[in-house]
Structure formats: structure tokens, C-alpha cells
Amino acid sequence: MSDARGARERLVVIGGDAAGMSAASQARRLRGPDELEIVAFERGHFTSFSACGIPYWVGGDVPERDRLIARTAEEHRARDIDLRMRTEVTELDPGRGRVRARDLDSGAESWTSYDKLVIATGARPIRPRLPGVDAPGVHGVQTLDDGQALLDTLARTRGRRAVVVGAGYIGVEMAEALINRGYRVTVVNRGREPMATLDPDMGRLVHRAMEGMGITMVNDAEVTELLTGDDGRVRAVVTADAEYPADVVVLGIGVRPETSLARAAGLPLGEHGGLLTDRSMRVRGHENIWAGGDCVEVLDLVSGQQRHIPLGTHANKHGQIIGANVGGDYATFPGVVGTAVSKVCDLEIARTGLREKDAHRVGLRFEKVTIESTSRAGYYPNASAMTVKMLAELRTGRLLGVQIVGREGAGKRVDIAAVALTAGMTVEQMTALDLGYAPPFSPVWDPVLVAARKAASKIRAGS
Amino acid sequence: MSDARGARERLVVIGGDAAGMSAASQARRLRGPDELEIVAFERGHFTSFSACGIPYWVGGDVPERDRLIARTAEEHRARDIDLRMRTEVTELDPGRGRVRARDLDSGAESWTSYDKLVIATGARPIRPRLPGVDAPGVHGVQTLDDGQALLDTLARTRGRRAVVVGAGYIGVEMAEALINRGYRVTVVNRGREPMATLDPDMGRLVHRAMEGMGITMVNDAEVTELLTGDDGRVRAVVTADAEYPADVVVLGIGVRPETSLARAAGLPLGEHGGLLTDRSMRVRGHENIWAGGDCVEVLDLVSGQQRHIPLGTHANKHGQIIGANVGGDYATFPGVVGTAVSKVCDLEIARTGLREKDAHRVGLRFEKVTIESTSRAGYYPNASAMTVKMLAELRTGRLLGVQIVGREGAGKRVDIAAVALTAGMTVEQMTALDLGYAPPFSPVWDPVLVAARKAASKIRAGS
């Protein structure tokens, strides 16, 4: 399939994590080193690691850092990928087809030309410009280095009071990690309820469950300052209303696309600051540049809008698709439906599709239902309660979104809705879905079917 | 919506279990007793019970029988359903619109006329005509009475050797139940491997896992005789090759539609012996007779053929749909894709769509792949191995079927494939599915996606 044409091409990859190294590996699988030279730049100490696994390493579920590394630099090099660690790309020159990179240890800079370029620069954590935010004891959890620094702080700190700023999925996962390490945890959240990826009525269920775990949940609270002690270390988090003593602070406020290089080079960015690509993950208007992972925006198939969704599973898909296309094969990324699942201790939280406010924003009118059911037949041991919320478009009855909060067995049920959304099913069609049933696995009507029946009934009544 | 027209109609329901009583309840919801009289006949002692729960009651996971009864006769009667227990319908006269019923206690018989009739006579267990099959200590597990009789035998029996005849889902669930009761269990199976609802290569995984649990699995073995002792009780199960000592024998050979009444009345039956209905669950050619549950055949949406699939979840759907239609509303049952999930101890077994032999039978050519993956990210605690087999149609790439064998978190993943089958997705489309990902829930590529990628690659290579 591939075009050798005698001349060896050079692929340059910026960013040595999920999207970049998946792209490099897939391209290498399709084209050998005599056809394609692959140079990859990574500014950090690690490559191909699971950022999503950091909370579980910090919390002790994953015993050691290296378990989070899917493939080491040496393993990539053994596959003829010229991976340059601790080397930061500082300039991108699409006109001349080259990148400038600096060796972070020696400070040496040089230009490398490319025939094809993959931008996989990821995302950078939002770090609020607050007094005290750079004090020792204040930690982000974006990289393995961040995780190690936090673990070092936890090992050194005598006090057992932790404050997590932010109540998105990183915030709640870090709350669990710190609970597991024996901390008294307070989560300070700017929003009405934790998990702003859910509607507030479902976030409220998360709120109550977190309180039940002994986590102090502070909503509607903007952090104004971090106070430090005589030793210069953080000692409290301050909001307009209160001061929360803290021996350690974790920032889990979210991330933005890391696209400063791309912006400086004039590449097209969307309203969320992410690179814009076509379905082959090629940067719009640039024949020989691809981009994927946390630095791009993706099409939301339900709303038709562009979104920024930093998730390892998308980054891996992007990398595969880019690698296939760079390697002379063909693959596309149609978009996302916005599925996400997370947990805090034994509480499982899942969502896919549109929230109420997403639907309003794009002018969709809808019916909504919320039902309570159980993970197994009610009479089976350990059947646990779950709440399912479902949105369906008025008139058409098309499924728009599902949110689930429950215990064991709740989270991955969202996949039923994710596939139904992708297929454009109506809630009426969903009522007939032939889902797996046996008492240890589900009530005779799966909770998702119970929600679909109620939603379908409301749609019929409203039409 | 409903037509009152002054005259009160009478609905007669034959069979007081899932399909029949769901139909009666739904019809009652839509039409009050002044419009619709509802008479239901049930020949047994119980109504609306979960037959699927019997293995868990026998095994001790469900502490008492009454937990399996979703709604008692009294509860149905309180909703103005004239439910006549221990009353068997002995003749059906569609020409004159009446049924003859016998009170099993008094022996009294009488005719009851109907305007509308629901046939929900369920299925009867296959009971091989073998010497000794009626001896004390030999048990079926179809009804609550069966379950109680088996529990009584277990309480009385000193020995601890159990033989289960049949290795379908009832057989393996009963093997688990007897293991849980402290028995040494032998499963005697006519087929090549247990779980004939799977392809033999996947059944082989179940076989090995059952052996790992200490269950003796005997395949390719036809039972020829049951031996009894001097006390008349069963003492051994005999096959052509061996004799298996048994203090208790459980028959889990499967069921057939119970349609003797319907057959005698000349109603249309399919090749599996089940009643044939249209999509509204109305018996073909009979304007005022509906049928649902284990006594009907259903359309397999993947193969286009009629099948007999006795499952509580279908029976409940049928009942709802019949009740809606009888009650003057409108609902249809489009068919099934053949999803089933079961477990034996901690092994989860799931399937949906076509096996290899099903595809061959209907002339479909396909590619097949089998992959190994894990339930969670590999580095996360308790990530367990699972095997996913996927069939996709040659040329079109349309998903045809999925089989999964694994541990916790394996079984309900089949729902992803069940929805994709219903939507007619190709395996290539499935590779882009936006499924829930976080380390405690899934590897970054969900096992179903890993299988879809491999299948899509094979389809491309073969086209």
C-alpha cells in the first residue's frame, strides 16, 4: 500500500505520550525504517504513560510508578523510533517544514526538518494565578513527576489534612486517593455541585455520597488565596467565606489544550484553544501535519459542536488513526458522544451525550426522566441502587444523553447509551434492546431500559 | 384511546407468570375494571416469580423463596385481576371464544368465555424418558415447587455427590448452587463442551474454568439410565462409558414451549414448537389472541430466523407489549439479537448474535477473531483476564456475534455488542465507539474495541 519511491521520508512527532507514540508505533508497523525515519521529541522524563492512572498510584492501588508506563523509551527505540527525551520543541516552522528543539539538559538547540509532522503536545493543567499557588505542598497531578512530588510531600507531611481544589473527575479521584492514604479530605469546588460534567441534580447525588465517605464537600466556593506558614509551605486554602487548613493541596481544576507552538505557527485553533483537524486527524489546511490527543478539539456527534475532551482513550484512538494515515493506510475518527466514567471510592459516576445545558445551548428541546433501579435482581446479594437520568429529544424521541450514579455495576452501563447515541437510536427503539439478563447481572428490566421506557412514555405523551 | 362502548370486555390470561401477569397488569393500568374484566388462570401455587432466581435460592445466595415472588396473587387481586390459582386450562376453543378450566383441588371444570385472550403458558422442562428418571432424588428446577423439593432432598441427603445433567446455563448455574451447598459436583453433558450457546472453542474456556473450580466436567456423554438403590432413591447416573455415583441428580437439559393447548386448538406453531405471532405479539391469523413469554417463537434480527429463547427478560417485554395492545395503546416487539449472560461461581459467560454454526446455517460467510484482554487497566488491582470472540460478515463487515468468557466485569460488556447488532453496525464503525474509560473500569482500549479492531483489520484484508 505504501509509496516507497526510493526517497526516505522523515516523520517528526512532537510529544511522546499516548497520541504521539501510538501514531509513531502504528506508522512504524506499516512502514519500515528504510522507508520512514521517525523522530519523536518528548520534553519530560517519561513516555507512553497512563496519566489517568496517577490517582491510583498516589492512592496506593498501583504499587509503583513504572506500572503506569505502557512502553519505555528504550522499547520505542528498539522499534527504530528515534525518541529524544527531555527535548522540547520550541518552534514550529510549517513553511519550511521544520521544528526547532532544545535539549533541556545541555541547552543545545537545533532544527529538524520533516516531511510529515504529528503534533501531540497534550494539555496543560489550569493553574490559577493565586497568591501561594507555587508554595511547597501545592501539587498538580498531570505528569509522573507531579505524582512523585505529591507522594514525596505525603511521605514528609505529619499533618493529615488535605484540600483538593476542583471537583471534576481528577478532583474526585484525588479525593479518593487521599482518603486511601488516611487523610481528612476537603474538596473545594467552584460549581454548584461536584462533577460539572453531570447535571446538578445528578452531581447532588455525588455530593451526598462523598459526604457519606467522610469527605467535606464545599460547593460554590472560589479559592482566593493559599496561605503559607513560617516554613514557606502551604498551610491553608482561603475562599471568600472560609479558610480550610491544609497540610497538602492538590489542584484538580482541569486542563487546556497545549497549543502554544501551534498558535505561534498560525495553525487553526478552535474556540476551546485546541487544534482543528479533519476526520483523518490532519490539521485543517495542512497537507502534511496531523494532530491528536489532548491538544485537539473533537466533533461531538450528538450536538454537532466542537469540544475539547482530554481522555487517554481518545488519544490512543487518534494516535492509531494518524499512524495509519501517515503509514499509507486509511482511517478516520468520526467524533465522540462524550462518554466518561469515574469513581470515588465505591461510587461510580458515568455520563454520555448531552447534559440539559448542552442541549439548551444548541437549541434542542427535550424530555428528561430520572429513575432508580438496582445493579442486579433485587433479591440477589449485593444488588446496589443506581440512579439513571435520560434526555431524549422532543418529537423525534432521539436519545440525547444519559447520566448514571451508583455503586458497583453502574458505571459501565453507560456504554449501552454510548452505542445507542452513536447509532442515533430513539428511546422507543431502546425499550426493545436485547440486553444481557441474569439475576447476578441485572434486574429483569435493565436500569437503562427502565429509563428508556419512562422517557419513551413521556415523549409519546408530549407529542 | 380505549373504546369503552358501554359493553365490558373480558380478557382471559392463561398462565400467571412473567408474560401473563405483566400483560394483565399493563392492560389494567390502561383500562379500569368497568371497561375490562381480567380473569387469569394459573395451574401452579405461585404467580409472577423469578424462575431465573431458583439456582440462587437453591445455592443459598437468596435466603428465602418468597424473595423470588415479584407480586403475589393477593397483590394482583387487589388490582382487580381475577386470578385463579391452581386452575388449569384444559381446552381452548377459539371458534367460540372460550376456555375450559379445571380447579385442580376440587376437580371442577367449567368454561369461561373471552373477548380477548392472552396465552402465556410458558415452557416445560425436557425430561428424558430414561429408566429411573422419576426416582426420588432426581429434580428439575423449573418452578418454585421444584426448587423446594430439591432443597428438601438436599436437607435430607447425607451424601455429598451431585450430578447435574446438562451444561447449558441452567446446568452451570445449578453446578454453582450445589458447589455452594458443599457438594462434589459432576456435570454430564451431551455436547462437545459446556454452554452450547457458545462456539466450542469458547465453551472450552468454560470447561477449563469449571474444572478449576473442582467441578468434574464430562462431555460427549449421553445419559442412558439412572440407577436407584434399595430405598428406591437415585444412586447413580449411567452413560455409555461410565457410572457416576449420585446422592442427588439435577436435570438442566432445557425446555420446550408449552403449547399443547394451542396445538390442539389449531393455532399456528413454528418449527421449534412455539406460537407464531406478529410484531404486536398477536397470534398470527387470530385477531383477538395474543401470546408471549416462553411459549412463543421470536424473530432473530441477525439471522432473520425464528427462534425459541425462554428468558424472563423477553417474557416481561412481551407482557408489557401485549398489555399495551390489549389496553388500546400500541407497542411492538421487533425481535431479539440473542443476548444471554450467566455465571458459574466467579466465571462470567456472555453471548449475543450468531455462533459460527448459526452463521453457516443461514448462508452467511464471516471472519472470526478471538482476543485476550482485561476488565480494567492492566496495572489496576483485580484486573481480570477475559476472552472476546467476534464474528463479522465478509465484505459488509457487519457485526454478526460476540462471545465473552471472563471474570468480574466480563459479562455485561456483551451489551455493547447487543446494541451494535441491533443498530446493524459494522466492526469498522465499532472501532470508533466512545466507550467509558477509566483505569478501574477498562483498559484504554475496551476489550470489545480490541476485538472490533482485529475483526475490522481482517475484513479489510479479506476484501
Side-chain angles (χ1 to χ4, degrees):
Chain A
M1 297 281 278
S2 63
D3 260 330
R5 280 179 308 197
R8 188 174 181 235
E9 282 192 325
R10 181 184 290 150
L11 168 67
V12 167
V13 176
I14 310 176
D17 208 343
M21 297 319 291
S22 288
S25 301
Q26 180 64 15
R28 175 54 77 229
R29 234 167 265 138
L30 295 168
R31 299 176 68 184
D34 51 332
E35 282 184 54
L36 185 72
E37 180 189 359
I38 305 180
V39 180
F41 297 105
E42 166 55 46
R43 65 182 176 185
H45 291 96
F46 303 99
T47 182
S48 298
F49 70 91
S50 170
C52 340
I54 292 174
Y56 308 102
W57 169 41
V58 171
D61 282 326
V62 177
E64 52 195 21
R65 187 193 65 197
D66 289 357
R67 299 283 291 277
L68 300 183
I69 297 173
R71 198 169 277 169
T72 63
E74 292 65 39
E75 289 171 309
H76 285 298
R77 289 187 191 116
R79 311 184 72 201
D80 288 308
I81 294 168
D82 179 3
L83 174 57
R84 305 184 192 171
M85 300 300 295
R86 298 275 300 149
T87 307
E88 179 164 20
V89 173
T90 55
E91 192 178 343
L92 167 53
D93 179 1
R96 299 178 64 178
R98 57 181 194 162
V99 301
R100 187 165 62 179
R102 174 166 45 212
D103 181 315
L104 293 178
D105 296 320
S106 71
E109 289 214 5
S110 62
W111 287 96
T112 304
S113 65
Y114 62 78
D115 299 294
K116 290 173 172 169
L117 179 68
V118 174
I119 302 174
T121 42
R124 62 170 186 278
I126 296 169
R127 206 171 167 94
R129 285 183 201 163
L130 294 172
V133 77
D134 294 319
V138 181
H139 293 270
V141 282
Q142 176 79 355
T143 65
L144 293 182
D145 288 331
D146 292 342
Q148 190 59 60
L150 173 55
L151 279 168
D152 292 345
T153 287
L154 298 184
R156 269 198 310 266
T157 306
R158 289 256 178 79
R160 278 288 173 268
R161 291 164 307 184
V163 174
V164 176
V165 180
Y169 70 93
I170 298 172
V172 302
E173 287 168 1
M174 288 309 303
E176 170 181 338
L178 292 160
I179 286 273
N180 288 351
R181 289 288 183 190
Y183 283 76
R184 281 169 43 205
V185 177
T186 299
V187 177
V188 178
N189 171 37
R190 201 165 57 171
R192 263 172 68 191
E193 294 290 356
M195 293 305 290
T197 51
L198 306 180
D199 286 321
D201 54 336
M202 295 295 284
R204 174 93 193 133
L205 302 180
V206 178
H207 177 169
R208 268 194 249 130
M210 289 173 72
E211 287 182 338
M213 296 162 194
I215 296 168
T216 303
M217 187 72 231
V218 184
N219 291 316
D220 290 315
E222 188 89 45
V223 174
T224 55
E225 188 180 0
L226 304 178
L227 301 181
T228 52
D230 294 341
D231 58 357
R233 299 184 58 78
V234 72
R235 66 170 178 83
V237 173
V238 181
T239 68
D241 300 317
E243 191 179 308
Y244 301 94
D247 301 302
V248 58
V249 173
V250 174
L251 302 175
I253 307 179
V255 298
R256 291 217 180 87
E258 174 55 273
T259 48
S260 44
L261 276 178
R263 183 185 300 275
L267 299 186
L269 302 182
E271 59 173 314
H272 306 286
L275 276 154
L276 297 176
T277 74
D278 66 14
R279 288 204 171 196
S280 73
M281 302 309 296
R282 195 187 303 255
V283 174
R284 289 189 196 165
H286 290 263
E287 185 66 24
N288 59 345
I289 306 181
W290 286 260
D294 292 358
C295 68
V296 305
E297 297 187 4
V298 291
L299 176 64
D300 182 318
L301 296 168
V302 189
S303 70
Q305 298 209 317
Q306 294 291 125
R307 294 180 59 187
H308 178 238
I309 305 183
L311 267 183
T313 187
H314 299 326
N316 274 276
K317 287 196 183 92
H318 293 168
Q320 282 282 337
I321 286 160
I322 293 169
N325 291 321
V326 166
D329 202 346
Y330 172 71
T332 56
F333 185 77
V336 303
V337 294
T339 312
V341 59
S342 47
K343 79 178 192 72
V344 45
C345 301
D346 67 344
L347 188 78
E348 300 189 358
I349 307 159
R351 54 96 64 219
T352 190
L354 308 186
R355 296 164 299 181
E356 293 192 37
K357 73 176 179 184
D358 302 320
H360 287 309
R361 189 182 297 131
V362 293
L364 288 166
R365 290 176 63 189
F366 57 87
E367 292 284 2
K368 58 183 177 185
V369 299
T370 303
I371 64 98
E372 307 265 335
S373 183
T374 54
S375 58
R376 310 166 190 259
Y379 55 78
Y380 194 86
N382 304 320
S384 63
M386 80 176 74
T387 304
V388 179
K389 179 172 180 173
M390 185 175 281
L391 269 57
E393 194 187 8
L394 215 62
R395 301 279 164 83
T396 70
R398 181 170 64 110
L399 178 68
L400 292 181
V402 164
Q403 297 164 44
I404 306 177
V405 175
R407 308 279 164 163
E408 192 213 330
K412 277 291 265 180
R413 269 188 165 84
V414 80
D415 286 347
I416 298 164
V419 185
L421 275 173
T422 305
M425 281 188 185
T426 67
V427 286
E428 186 79 38
Q429 289 172 318
M430 288 178 73
T431 62
L433 283 173
D434 184 4
L435 303 180
Y437 162 65
F441 296 95
S442 174
V444 71
W445 292 96
D446 190 278
V448 175
L449 295 187
V450 175
R453 281 174 61 191
K454 191 169 173 186
S457 165
K458 254 187 136 169
I459 292 288
R460 286 196 302 271
S463 65
Chain B
M1 298 280 279
S2 63
D3 261 329
R5 280 180 307 197
R8 189 174 180 232
E9 283 192 326
R10 181 184 291 150
L11 169 66
V12 166
V13 176
I14 310 175
D17 208 343
M21 298 318 292
S22 288
S25 302
Q26 180 65 16
R28 174 56 76 229
R29 234 169 264 136
L30 294 168
R31 298 176 69 184
D34 50 333
E35 283 184 53
L36 186 71
E37 179 189 359
I38 304 180
V39 180
F41 296 104
E42 166 55 45
R43 66 181 174 186
H45 291 97
F46 303 99
T47 182
S48 298
F49 70 91
S50 171
C52 339
I54 292 173
Y56 308 102
W57 168 43
V58 171
D61 281 327
V62 177
E64 53 194 23
R65 188 193 65 194
D66 289 356
R67 300 283 291 276
L68 300 183
I69 298 174
R71 197 170 279 169
T72 62
E74 291 66 39
E75 289 170 309
H76 285 299
R77 289 189 192 117
R79 310 183 73 200
D80 287 307
I81 295 168
D82 178 3
L83 174 57
R84 305 184 191 171
M85 300 301 296
R86 297 276 300 149
T87 307
E88 180 165 19
V89 174
T90 54
E91 191 178 344
L92 168 53
D93 179 0
R96 299 178 64 179
R98 58 182 193 161
V99 301
R100 188 166 61 180
R102 176 166 44 212
D103 181 315
L104 293 178
D105 296 318
S106 71
E109 289 213 6
S110 63
W111 287 96
T112 304
S113 65
Y114 62 79
D115 298 295
K116 290 173 172 169
L117 178 69
V118 174
I119 302 174
T121 41
R124 63 169 184 278
I126 297 170
R127 205 170 169 96
R129 285 184 203 166
L130 294 171
V133 77
D134 294 319
V138 181
H139 294 270
V141 282
Q142 176 79 353
T143 65
L144 293 182
D145 288 331
D146 293 341
Q148 189 60 59
L150 173 55
L151 278 168
D152 292 346
T153 288
L154 298 184
R156 268 199 309 265
T157 307
R158 288 256 176 79
R160 278 288 173 270
R161 293 165 306 184
V163 173
V164 176
V165 180
Y169 70 93
I170 297 171
V172 303
E173 287 168 1
M174 288 310 303
E176 171 181 337
L178 291 161
I179 287 272
N180 288 350
R181 289 287 182 188
Y183 282 76
R184 283 169 43 208
V185 178
T186 299
V187 177
V188 178
N189 171 37
R190 200 165 57 172
R192 265 173 66 191
E193 294 290 358
M195 293 305 290
T197 51
L198 306 181
D199 285 321
D201 54 337
M202 295 297 283
R204 176 92 192 131
L205 302 180
V206 177
H207 178 168
R208 268 193 249 129
M210 287 173 73
E211 287 183 338
M213 295 163 194
I215 296 168
T216 302
M217 188 70 232
V218 184
N219 291 317
D220 291 314
E222 188 89 43
V223 173
T224 55
E225 188 181 1
L226 303 179
L227 300 182
T228 51
D230 294 340
D231 58 357
R233 300 184 58 78
V234 72
R235 67 170 179 82
V237 173
V238 182
T239 69
D241 300 318
E243 189 180 308
Y244 301 94
D247 301 300
V248 59
V249 174
V250 174
L251 302 175
I253 307 178
V255 298
R256 291 216 181 88
E258 174 56 272
T259 47
S260 43
L261 276 179
R263 182 185 302 273
L267 299 186
L269 303 183
E271 58 174 315
H272 305 287
L275 276 154
L276 297 177
T277 74
D278 67 14
R279 288 203 170 197
S280 72
M281 303 309 296
R282 195 188 303 255
V283 172
R284 289 190 196 164
H286 290 263
E287 184 66 23
N288 59 344
I289 306 180
W290 286 260
D294 292 359
C295 67
V296 304
E297 298 190 3
V298 292
L299 176 65
D300 183 319
L301 297 168
V302 189
S303 69
Q305 298 209 317
Q306 293 291 124
R307 293 180 60 189
H308 178 237
I309 305 183
L311 267 183
T313 186
H314 298 328
N316 274 277
K317 286 196 184 91
H318 293 168
Q320 282 282 337
I321 286 160
I322 292 169
N325 291 322
V326 166
D329 202 347
Y330 173 71
T332 56
F333 186 77
V336 303
V337 294
T339 312
V341 59
S342 46
K343 78 179 192 72
V344 45
C345 300
D346 67 344
L347 188 79
E348 300 189 358
I349 307 159
R351 53 96 67 221
T352 189
L354 308 185
R355 296 164 298 180
E356 293 192 37
K357 71 175 179 186
D358 301 319
H360 287 309
R361 189 181 298 133
V362 293
L364 288 165
R365 291 177 61 189
F366 56 87
E367 292 284 1
K368 59 183 177 185
V369 299
T370 302
I371 64 97
E372 307 265 335
S373 184
T374 54
S375 57
R376 309 167 190 261
Y379 55 78
Y380 194 85
N382 304 320
S384 63
M386 81 177 73
T387 304
V388 180
K389 178 171 181 174
M390 186 175 282
L391 270 58
E393 192 188 9
L394 216 63
R395 300 281 165 83
T396 71
R398 179 170 65 110
L399 177 68
L400 293 182
V402 164
Q403 296 164 43
I404 306 177
V405 175
R407 308 278 163 164
E408 193 213 330
K412 277 291 266 180
R413 269 187 164 83
V414 80
D415 286 346
I416 298 165
V419 185
L421 275 173
T422 305
M425 282 189 185
T426 67
V427 287
E428 186 79 39
Q429 288 173 319
M430 288 178 73
T431 63
L433 283 174
D434 184 3
L435 303 180
Y437 162 64
F441 296 94
S442 174
V444 72
W445 292 96
D446 190 277
V448 175
L449 295 186
V450 175
R453 281 173 62 191
K454 191 167 174 189
S457 165
K458 253 188 138 169
I459 291 286
R460 286 196 301 272
S463 65

